[in-house]
Amino acid sequence: MVAQGQRDVSGERRIWDGSASRVRIARLMLGLLMSALAAVGVLAIAERAAASEGEQTIFGVISFTSEESNERVPIEGVEITVEGVGSVTTDGDGAFSIPVEPGEYTVSIDPATLPPGTSLRDLDRVELSALVEPGRDQRVLFAVVAGEEGFTDTSGGISLRRVAQLVANGLKDGLYLAMAAIGLSLIFGTTGLTNFAHAEMVTWGMLSTYFFNFYGLAGVIGFLAPLPGPFGDGVPVVFAVVFGAISGGVLGWLINRVLFKGARRAGVALLSQMLMTIGLSILMRYLMLYFFRGGPRQYLEYTAQRAVSIGPIQLTPKDMIAMALSVVILTGVGLYLQRTKMGKAMRAVSDNRELAESTGIDVERVISNVWVAGAALAATAGAFYGLTTVRWDFGFRILLLMFAAVVLGGLGTAYGAFMGALLVGLSISLSTLFIDAELKNMVALLVLVVVLLFRPQGLFGRPERIG
Amino acid sequence: MTDEAFTPGLTAGGGGAAALRATEYDNPVAGVFDDVEQVPGAAKPDPILVADGVVKTFGGLTAVDVAHLEIQRGAITALIGPNGAGKTTFFNLLTGFDRPDRGSVSLEGEDISRVAPHRLARRGMVRTFQLTKALSRMTVVDNMKLGATGQRGESIWRSLLGPLWSAQESEVGERAEELLDRFNMSHMADEFAGTLSGGQRKLIEMARALMTDPKLVMLDEPMAGVNPALTQSLLGHVKGLRAEGRSVIFVEHDMDVVRDISDWVVVMAEGQIIAEGTPDSIGKNQAVVDAYLGQHHDQDLSVESPAGGSSDEVGESDG
Amino acid sequence: MDWGFIFERVMTAAIGPEVIVFALAAIGLNVQFGYAGLLNFGQVGFMAAGAYGVGMAVYWLNISFWWGIGLGLVYATVLAMLLGVPTLRLRADYLAIVTIASSETIRLFVRWRGNSGRTGASEGIGEFARPFYDLNPFDNAARYQFGPFNFLGRDLWVVLVGWILVAIALLLVWQWMRSPWGRALKAIREDEDAARALGKNSYVYKLQALLIGGLIASVAGMLQVIQKAAVQPDTFNPVITFMIWTILILGGPGRVWSPVVGSMIYWSLIVFLENVLRQLPPGTRSTLESTIKLSDFNISQFRFILVGLGLILLARYRPQGIFGSREEMALDDR
Ligand SMILES: Nc1ncnc2c1ncn2[C@@H]1O[C@H](COP(=O)(O)OP(=O)(O)OP(=O)(O)O)[C@@H](O)[C@H]1O
Ligand SMILES: [Mg+2]
């Protein structure tokens, strides 16, 4: 069945054509060079911080929003540690400050020192990295919430309120995940390729949004920084997200153009193409680490928004807006696939490539569009996810969830990916009722394995052909 | 078409061919079908394979819906039908590669509907594929040796102890060479199978299947894409199988071929068996003519192609 | 730049512990991918299984280190079953998806606070390998120099045992692959349905291949943590798997020797590059720091960037390895 699933579908196989492949190597090299150049530009970023000598501090305030008064209540006596420097406890205003030399640090909070009835909002954020640049004190945010989500408490009981909150969180993650996963499923559908680099598209969207937010469209490239307006200066998150999505589409187009179009034409086996996506994923991930450095960061705006209550649910306005936008975007994608000519062509190619080709559809164009749309969607998802934290390896962290979603829905269908993502989002969120939240992503693996055991074609997929 | 037409190909072979030629490809089942009623689902005197109420649907499409079918032992049965009739799917269901939604299949009286393909192969039921499956990065002779069943060295533990299997291995090797000889492929024995031509791949696939020493051989379009001369020699091999007492089912689009070698013809259309009969009578069957006419109308609209041509392309993509 | 020093470093690395560990893991992957065509994207999970086997035996179960080797093999077996049973009946991509997903999950799981009593959570486990070094015929703390090779006594012991293990693994693979078992495995790699039609239970063969490859990788994992004298969850970063893939494809999958050759080439290259970069004249170095951010940290990231780039180029142009013939590539119609 290996051979079946992966037999090259591009028709005639061209066997190692020396000259043509040299041209292609050259093109590939050019592409890589271009990316490298772009990356070099990114480097200039760090230079932008004003340089002043002397000691800096890592500082912050630990507080939470009281449920009764709806006011921020500072927390005293929480232990904060900067690795290799020392620990402090927060004062009466919940504030802490630790003097450090410029450099990169890991800052952690000890959740055990939080007063009863409060907990960390995001379990991933017990440890944060802080990059302290010369002349700039670094603020660190540990979001503490009232109530018992997560850290210490899985035995907190199953209250209606808690379930409602988890459903809301699950829905949020599911919506973002759907945007991230649809492209994965469509690329598989149209080309048969399992794109392991799709997760990096999510990270790309997140990081480029971050960079647009901080440095504007061109300010990332050092010498262009003095340019005015949106070029040399950071743009508001709202615009940065749009630019991030566009940059995702551009990257998707480029990747298909430089790497996979040629590979398909040269009849490179799907298995080798899959390895190429793996290579691409690692290359992208570590280039991002190279330039972004390790620690988690945040956009300039909306970092610490206060959650508002809707009935039993608490959501921050930014999340609500992003969720609403996701619904709009996903509906748009649905309509696009149902109504437009290109959308129908995408579905037709997913359904049966040869049939589609014989009815006059330009399959390569469709594939190119799928790459652009899929990558742009993933980048948008990344930008939205980034409203919480920006990380260089974020995509990889949700790779498992993306695959669980598309396999659950049925590889190759957009609708399946959407439903799968919602289900995965919800089940992961609700699983924290029963298991330690740190392990919640394992639920996705469980979903994946159970689906493969009992319904490998997924909920909405079709069994494959034999013989 | 007479036997002489392919005899030259066989004489070129070695000892195996000589043994075969002695039989002159008598038809051991000549006359067996005289008393069989020419209707779908007809009972046969000595069925080796029986399918009963076998249904397979893909989404809304009913690909196979066979009420009853018996395959006569020792005979060559042709399975014909327009493209998309469900022949390959039916093969998959019979050989365990796919599970029917409903119904049962039995081999020599034993139910095999839930038996895995590899077990069926060990029980003497072997198949080939419409899209030839040469094992490209293995030599031709390794392709052949693979076919032998019951090899001791195929166990993970025993394989580590050479002496436990080396004797059997050389036996298998001899058998492989004999068969290669018979199929005129000896000169290719040490080449990678991936270097073979399409027709040679068909040959090696058939030869490899014979290494399992099967009772029932199921060939899915063994002649598709093979040049006429090679077709003749393939036909000769198929008749040779019957002469050795094996049963054969084969799918074919070329009616000349069907008329030439089959003892009995089963016609499928839209998943159902619409007719059964002797090769001579089947062409006069109104249901068959209708089924094929419908098919030809379709074909005229798209592309004029030799039998099986357009189906091959579709198959290639899905396969 | 001290070329003599770099030469010694490269030569020592070329037969050193890392080459051995990765060669072993790649031998395992060769059985899985090179011969059986299995897309195991989670080889590092098997290494972790072996490593935590020895570590947890000492740290959690308080039994002897030597029992831990058995425990590691048991873990690897369980893992192979967990990964293989649901996926090996399906198209090859599914094993790839499940393995890539599970190797990261394993890392997160052993790192989980709730496991601190068993796995040491993010701290990991130390102090477990003494019985191994007690058997060392060399002086653990002394330096040994022969030719261009320079090892600490304890490493020399690891290297010696390691190469013996590699030799055993190679011998096993060689014998397996010339037997009918290996032939059936290769047939399954080429076309699973054809093999099934000929009476081969492809599911069992694939499980066996996954298991064998996993067990060999688990031994690699054990050797690695013994050499490091610590079991740390972050050693088992999923990207390690793809270093192993790069090594295997460099050497050429489906050949007995390729994992060793690939591992030597890969590590010589990395060590050479990193040493050259680290020893750049201060002027050049600071220019590179200010233009392309060539910090010490980033130099240590080069190996991953190279893996990414290498995989893309190898998979695209040389899927049969740098020594593979074009003819053979043309045959690869998967
Ligand atoms: N896995 C599958 N999923 C969906 N439809 C399928 C699948 N396998 C077969 N079909 C459909 O079932 C029908 C029968 O197909 P099948 O391959 O059995 O035809 P066939 O008689 O062998 O045709 P041909 O002569 O062209 O080889 C076709 O309409 C085909 O599209
Ligand atoms: Mg068919």
Side-chain angles (χ1 to χ4, degrees):
Chain A
M1 245 177 277
V2 178
Q4 263 179 41
Q6 298 171 342
R7 188 178 304 272
D8 168 53
V9 287
S10 70
E12 205 184 323
R13 255 184 98 64
R14 208 165 308 163
I15 292 171
W16 189 266
D17 168 355
S19 61
S21 67
R22 263 195 301 281
V23 173
R24 252 167 265 132
I25 292 185
R27 198 186 299 143
L28 186 75
M29 284 308 187
L30 192 70
L32 291 171
L33 190 73
M34 271 161 52
S35 346
L37 277 180
V40 169
V42 176
L43 298 174
I45 295 162
E47 269 53 63
R48 300 202 58 207
S52 94
E53 290 305 306
E55 238 175 24
Q56 310 301 327
T57 62
I58 290 176
F59 70 100
V61 175
I62 306 293
S63 65
F64 73 105
T65 309
S66 148
E67 297 195 307
E68 297 92 54
S69 60
N70 213 17
E71 274 172 13
R72 289 307 279 182
V73 180
I75 310 176
E76 191 179 358
V78 182
E79 191 172 309
I80 306 288
T81 307
V82 176
E83 209 174 274
V85 178
S87 306
V88 293
T89 47
T90 54
D91 62 17
D93 297 325
F96 65 89
S97 165
I98 304 168
V100 293
E101 304 271 353
E104 208 172 330
Y105 295 95
T106 305
V107 189
S108 59
I109 182 169
D110 182 358
T113 57
L114 287 172
T118 60
S119 59
L120 268 187
R121 190 183 67 201
D122 188 352
L123 294 182
D124 287 338
R125 313 199 62 216
V126 179
E127 280 184 2
L128 302 175
S129 313
L131 179 64
V132 181
E133 291 174 338
R136 204 197 241 183
D137 291 342
Q138 181 64 44
R139 183 188 187 99
V140 216
L141 276 170
F142 290 104
V144 176
V145 291
E148 335 247 300
E149 204 202 355
F151 211 90
T152 41
D153 194 47
T154 50
S155 58
I158 304 180
S159 66
L160 193 64
R161 188 194 174 89
R162 184 146 173 247
V163 172
Q165 180 66 43
L166 290 178
V167 167
N169 294 351
L171 219 53
K172 180 184 87 179
D173 289 341
L175 284 169
Y176 298 174
L177 192 60
M179 287 194 292
I182 282 179
L184 180 63
S185 202
L186 280 178
I187 290 172
F188 178 85
T190 47
T191 62
L193 179 66
T194 308
N195 178 15
F196 286 94
H198 202 69
E200 270 58 46
M201 300 293 164
V202 176
T203 323
W204 172 264
M206 181 181 272
L207 294 196
S208 53
T209 303
Y210 173 88
F211 284 130
F212 291 137
N213 184 220
F214 269 71
Y215 306 103
L217 290 180
V220 153
I221 301 164
F223 66 92
L224 293 178
L227 286 176
F231 299 102
D233 241 336
V235 298
V237 166
V238 183
F239 298 110
V241 168
V242 176
F243 293 141
I246 294 173
S247 79
V250 171
L251 185 69
W253 180 85
L254 211 69
I255 288 175
N256 178 51
R257 193 61 239 271
V258 174
L259 289 177
F260 294 103
K261 191 176 177 190
R264 279 194 298 276
R265 199 180 312 141
V268 171
L270 270 175
L271 184 141
S272 301
Q273 290 187 39
M274 206 190 293
L275 283 174
M276 286 168 69
T277 69
I278 289 273
L280 179 66
S281 143
I282 294 171
L283 180 66
M284 282 180 68
R285 190 163 357 127
Y286 283 91
L287 279 176
M288 292 194 259
L289 173 63
Y290 190 108
F291 294 126
F292 185 76
R293 307 279 211 89
R297 305 191 198 175
Q298 287 177 319
Y299 297 152
L300 279 176
E301 298 118 65
Y302 315 121
T303 40
Q305 244 181 3
R306 189 172 298 176
V308 294
S309 309
I310 316 165
I313 303 164
Q314 293 210 320
L315 280 175
T316 54
K318 64 178 175 183
D319 282 344
M320 284 192 271
I321 292 171
M323 281 170 79
L325 280 174
S326 310
V327 172
V328 171
I329 291 170
L330 288 166
T331 315
V333 171
L335 288 175
Y336 177 77
L337 289 173
Q338 295 289 339
R339 301 280 164 80
T340 66
K341 213 173 151 198
M342 182 45 75
K344 285 181 191 164
M346 284 177 186
R347 287 191 301 139
V349 175
S350 285
D351 213 43
N352 185 335
R353 186 183 160 139
E354 280 62 39
L355 203 64
E357 207 154 27
S358 66
T359 55
I361 292 175
D362 180 350
V363 172
E364 274 302 330
R365 233 191 90 211
V366 170
I367 290 174
S368 175
N369 275 303
V370 165
W371 270 92
V372 171
L377 274 173
T380 314
F384 286 178
Y385 276 119
L387 287 168
T388 315
T389 341
V390 180
R391 290 173 190 279
W392 66 278
D393 64 346
F394 183 83
F396 186 74
R397 287 169 184 236
I398 62 159
L399 181 72
L400 164 62
L401 312 194
M402 289 165 69
F403 276 121
V406 295
V407 171
L408 177 61
L411 264 175
T413 69
Y415 179 68
F418 170 72
M419 291 305 288
L422 285 191
L423 288 173
V424 167
L426 283 173
S427 47
I428 286 177
S429 179
L430 286 171
S431 73
T432 57
L433 285 171
F434 312 104
I435 61 170
D436 191 318
E438 208 178 305
L439 297 178
K440 65 180 179 184
N441 284 5
M442 291 181 85
V443 173
L445 188 63
L446 193 71
V447 169
L448 193 60
V449 167
V450 169
V451 172
L452 291 182
L453 276 175
F454 297 106
R455 199 179 159 81
Q457 71 271 35
L459 295 178
F460 306 97
R462 221 181 21 190
E464 56 194 286
R465 241 195 104 111
I466 311 160
Chain B
M1 199 100 9
T2 61
D3 287 356
E4 280 79 9
F6 52 79
T7 314
L10 280 167
T11 38
L20 259 175
R21 208 171 49 236
T23 71
E24 282 299 318
Y25 301 128
D26 289 335
N27 184 351
V29 291
V32 164
F33 289 101
D34 292 352
D35 301 331
V36 177
E37 227 186 324
Q38 309 216 356
V39 294
K44 309 287 171 343
D46 180 14
I48 183 168
L49 188 73
V50 180
D52 214 26
V54 173
V55 178
K56 179 76 190 179
T57 55
F58 294 111
L61 176 90
T62 306
V64 170
D65 181 2
V66 172
H68 189 79
L69 178 68
E70 297 185 2
I71 303 293
Q72 172 63 28
R73 184 191 306 278
I76 299 177
T77 306
L79 180 61
I80 65 170
N83 293 139
K87 305 179 295 292
T88 298
T89 310
F90 189 41
F91 256 43
N92 289 341
L93 297 175
L94 294 178
T95 51
F97 277 88
D98 208 345
R99 293 255 165 99
D101 301 340
R102 260 176 286 135
S104 66
V105 183
S106 61
L107 178 69
E108 303 194 297
E110 281 175 68
D111 184 48
I112 55 165
S113 359
R114 304 248 133 212
V115 180
H118 65 273
R119 293 197 188 280
L120 288 177
R122 293 178 197 165
R123 278 159 75 162
M125 182 173 174
V126 73
R127 73 170 290 184
T128 65
F129 294 85
Q130 181 167 1
L131 307 167
T132 328
K133 296 184 182 301
L135 307 171
S136 303
R137 285 179 297 168
M138 291 169 70
T139 59
V140 167
V141 71
D142 269 351
N143 263 265
M144 296 294 295
K145 286 182 183 169
L146 179 75
T149 48
Q151 296 188 49
R152 280 191 286 277
E154 282 183 356
S155 139
I156 188 164
W157 298 118
R158 279 190 296 243
S159 60
L160 287 176
L161 293 169
L164 288 183
W165 48 264
S166 52
Q168 192 191 28
E169 176 78 358
S170 45
E171 266 171 52
V172 169
E174 274 166 34
R175 215 145 59 76
E177 268 162 39
E178 256 172 51
L179 264 170
L180 278 178
D181 224 24
R182 187 164 136 197
F183 279 77
N184 271 333
M185 295 278 290
S186 302
H187 59 292
M188 300 295 283
D190 295 322
E191 303 290 325
F192 278 120
T195 63
L196 299 182
S197 76
Q200 288 173 319
R201 285 172 196 228
K202 290 271 174 193
L203 279 175
I204 181 133
E205 192 171 6
M206 203 196 279
R208 194 174 63 195
L210 296 184
M211 284 293 291
T212 63
D213 193 15
K215 289 182 229 159
L216 173 61
V217 187
M218 305 182 58
L219 309 168
D220 198 346
E221 304 201 12
M223 275 58 122
V226 175
N227 75 43
L230 203 55
T231 300
Q232 286 312 316
S233 96
L234 268 170
L235 290 183
H237 294 308
V238 174
K239 284 189 188 171
L241 296 179
R242 179 178 61 191
E244 292 171 341
R246 305 184 204 276
S247 317
V248 179
I249 312 179
F250 77 109
V251 175
E252 185 50 63
H253 285 286
D254 185 343
M255 281 311 287
D256 289 334
V257 168
V258 170
R259 232 170 272 128
D260 180 12
I261 64 164
S262 59
D263 302 305
W264 190 253
V265 181
V266 176
V267 188
M268 271 186 98
E270 294 176 0
Q272 300 185 328
I273 309 281
I274 56 161
E276 278 190 50
T278 57
D280 299 325
S281 69
I282 209 76
K284 301 176 196 107
N285 185 312
Q286 191 55 43
V288 178
V289 174
D290 285 349
Y292 270 91
L293 270 184
Q295 166 77 3
H296 281 292
H297 282 307
D298 287 344
Q299 276 194 347
D300 289 342
L301 288 177
S302 54
V303 57
E304 190 61 50
S305 68
S310 61
S311 80
D312 266 350
E313 280 160 30
V314 174
E316 199 79 52
S317 62
D318 289 342
Chain C
M1 206 170 298
D2 183 352
W3 291 107
F5 173 78
I6 291 177
F7 178 71
E8 191 181 294
R9 278 295 181 88
V10 170
M11 291 311 284
T12 305
I15 63 161
E18 252 150 354
V19 166
I20 296 168
V21 167
F22 278 78
L24 269 176
I27 291 171
L29 186 64
N30 198 22
V31 174
Q32 296 163 339
F33 174 69
Y35 293 103
L38 302 179
L39 296 176
N40 173 10
F41 285 170
Q43 190 72 323
V44 75
F46 287 103
M47 295 172 73
Y52 274 94
V54 287
M56 286 166 72
V58 176
Y59 179 80
W60 175 43
L61 299 175
N62 280 317
I63 51 178
S64 137
F65 164 86
W66 304 107
W67 284 112
I69 293 174
L71 186 65
L73 296 176
V74 170
Y75 280 174
T77 310
V78 172
L79 182 61
M81 294 301 138
L82 284 178
L83 297 174
V85 167
T87 58
L88 290 179
R89 287 183 206 279
L90 308 171
R91 204 185 40 230
D93 313 36
Y94 288 110
L95 178 67
I97 292 173
V98 169
T99 46
I100 201 173
S102 60
S103 71
E104 172 70 353
T105 311
I106 290 169
R107 188 177 71 91
L108 293 177
F109 183 68
V110 294
R111 211 168 189 292
W112 174 47
R113 289 166 305 121
N115 271 334
S116 54
R118 292 179 280 270
T119 63
S122 57
E123 304 272 296
I125 302 169
E127 291 296 314
F128 60 92
R130 177 146 317 172
F132 176 84
Y133 290 107
D134 284 346
L135 295 184
N136 190 356
F138 310 104
D139 180 355
N140 275 324
R143 280 217 158 265
Y144 292 81
Q145 172 102 34
F146 42 99
F149 309 109
N150 183 328
F151 287 107
L152 205 59
R154 64 187 295 287
D155 286 344
L156 194 57
W157 178 222
V158 172
V159 167
L160 190 68
V161 173
W163 281 113
I164 292 170
L165 289 172
V166 168
I168 294 172
L170 287 179
L171 207 65
L172 280 172
V173 171
W174 173 76
Q175 171 66 8
W176 262 318
M177 297 314 158
R178 62 190 275 277
S179 78
W181 184 82
R183 184 164 61 217
L185 209 59
K186 284 180 244 173
I188 289 161
R189 170 191 74 192
E190 295 298 306
D191 193 313
E192 185 179 348
D193 282 340
R196 293 204 296 166
L198 294 170
K200 314 300 172 218
N201 188 349
S202 63
Y203 182 62
V204 168
Y205 279 104
K206 288 200 284 184
L207 262 185
Q208 288 174 338
L210 184 66
L211 178 60
I212 290 178
L215 289 175
I216 297 176
S218 74
V219 173
M222 293 177 202
L223 198 69
Q224 182 175 37
V225 293
I226 288 170
Q227 194 263 334
K228 287 192 194 307
V231 189
Q232 286 258 318
D234 297 341
T235 321
F236 303 101
N237 184 327
V239 75
I240 302 292
T241 298
F242 300 104
M243 293 167 110
I244 301 168
W245 272 86
T246 308
I247 284 169
L248 180 62
I249 298 181
L250 260 178
R255 298 155 196 267
V256 173
W257 275 99
S258 64
V260 177
V261 177
S263 187
M264 284 180 157
I265 296 177
Y266 175 80
W267 282 108
S268 310
L269 211 69
I270 298 282
V271 170
F272 176 77
L273 191 83
E274 289 190 4
N275 274 292
V276 168
L277 288 176
R278 289 222 156 86
Q279 289 196 29
L280 287 175
T284 325
R285 179 65 190 273
S286 63
T287 323
L288 287 178
E289 276 224 54
S290 60
T291 52
I292 64 161
K293 273 275 167 284
L294 194 77
S295 59
D296 275 342
F297 172 77
N298 274 345
I299 287 179
S300 61
Q301 299 309 305
F302 261 117
R303 61 180 67 175
F304 303 120
I305 293 172
L306 279 184
V307 161
L309 207 59
L311 261 184
I312 295 177
L313 292 173
L314 283 170
R316 173 71 173 82
Y317 299 104
R318 279 269 170 225
Q320 288 306 319
I322 46 178
F323 306 117
S325 66
R326 288 177 183 185
E327 289 72 29
E328 220 177 318
M329 268 200 297
L331 295 176
D332 179 15
D333 65 356
R334 281 179 299 162

